[in-house]
Amino acid sequence: MCGIAGYIGKKKIEISDLHKTLRLMENRGPDHQDYKYIEKNGTRIYLLHSRLSIIDLDKRSTQPYTLDNCTLIFNGEIYNHVELRENLERQGIKCLPTSDTEVLLRYYLLYDENCVDYFEGMWSFVIYDENREKLFLSRDRFAEKPLYYSQEEDGFYFSSEIKSIKSLTGKSL
């Protein structure tokens, strides 16, 4: 299991608060914690990830994972990622990591929000698409992987755990 969290809005989140939130998420993924900050037309986007390495242990699969101006944070597993990768390769698209992370993002790039129609598994993920200035959140059909969110006056918060939202907002929900 991995941990994901983030925010989109006008508020500036202090680096110390980002690190505090990542420490809170460490129980969900002790192998690597990182975040990505994007600012686009006055909107601030923070994407945080805490990784538990299972499928591809190499650092090339760490997240936040960016490809073609789209950044992914992902918790879960796409069970049919090998078959999906083979389909991509038949189309001439080579995936470097052997994890399901790049496969998931490449399917988003090909099929937009309909990418989830191809996935078998359990997941919660967030993609920020810089080209479209769009945030896309998804969770598996049976909600096996949690994805909480909170719309506040200063922006939109999301996470795989409520305590991460509390940490980012700086208040009790």
Side-chain angles (χ1 to χ4, degrees):
M1 113 182 106
C2 296
I4 63 174
Y7 166 80
I8 184 168
K10 303 293 182 192
K11 175 182 172 181
K12 181 177 187 221
I13 298 176
E14 297 298 323
I15 292 175
S16 60
D17 292 330
L18 296 173
H19 287 288
K20 176 183 170 192
T21 303
L22 286 169
R23 279 191 304 278
L24 285 172
M25 294 166 54
E26 199 169 36
N27 66 308
R28 296 188 65 86
D31 297 324
H32 184 263
Q33 289 80 35
D34 204 358
Y35 71 91
K36 182 165 185 175
Y37 170 70
I38 303 163
E39 188 169 346
K40 188 98 175 190
N41 297 324
T43 299
R44 294 182 167 105
I45 302 97
Y46 297 88
L47 301 170
L48 293 78
H49 189 265
S50 188
R51 182 175 187 218
L52 176 62
S53 303
I54 296 175
I55 295 178
D56 185 348
L57 306 180
D58 196 283
K59 291 181 181 180
R60 65 185 171 213
S61 293
T62 60
Q63 298 173 42
Y65 188 85
T66 302
L67 187 65
D68 294 342
N69 290 323
C70 292
T71 301
L72 167 70
I73 52 175
F74 167 48
N75 173 32
E77 182 178 351
I78 306 302
Y79 300 145
N80 62 332
H81 76 275
V82 173
E83 294 86 1
L84 296 175
R85 177 188 314 281
E86 290 168 355
N87 182 45
L88 290 169
E89 289 173 357
R90 282 192 296 276
Q91 296 178 53
I93 300 168
K94 179 86 172 128
C95 295
L96 298 177
T98 57
S99 75
D100 46 3
T101 303
E102 184 175 349
V103 170
L104 188 161
L105 194 49
R106 287 205 180 269
Y107 264 74
Y108 169 79
L109 290 167
L110 287 171
Y111 303 108
D112 196 37
E113 294 175 10
N114 295 325
C115 64
V116 297
D117 295 339
Y118 297 88
F119 301 154
E120 295 173 14
M122 56 180 179
W123 70 82
S124 63
F125 67 80
V126 176
I127 297 173
Y128 181 70
D129 186 332
E130 286 188 62
N131 298 329
R132 296 182 186 161
E133 297 182 36
K134 171 177 143 179
L135 189 71
F136 173 47
L137 289 80
S138 176
R139 143 178 115 175
D140 64 85
R141 294 159 191 85
F142 300 106
E144 289 182 70
K145 292 297 179 183
L147 184 58
Y148 302 99
Y149 57 90
S150 178
Q151 179 69 55
E152 302 289 320
E153 283 183 28
D154 62 0
F156 183 76
Y157 298 85
F158 50 88
S159 180
S160 50
E161 294 181 293
I162 293 173
K163 68 182 179 181
S164 298
I165 293 176
K166 289 180 180 180
S167 178
L168 289 172
T169 61
K171 61 183 178 183
S172 298
L173 296 178

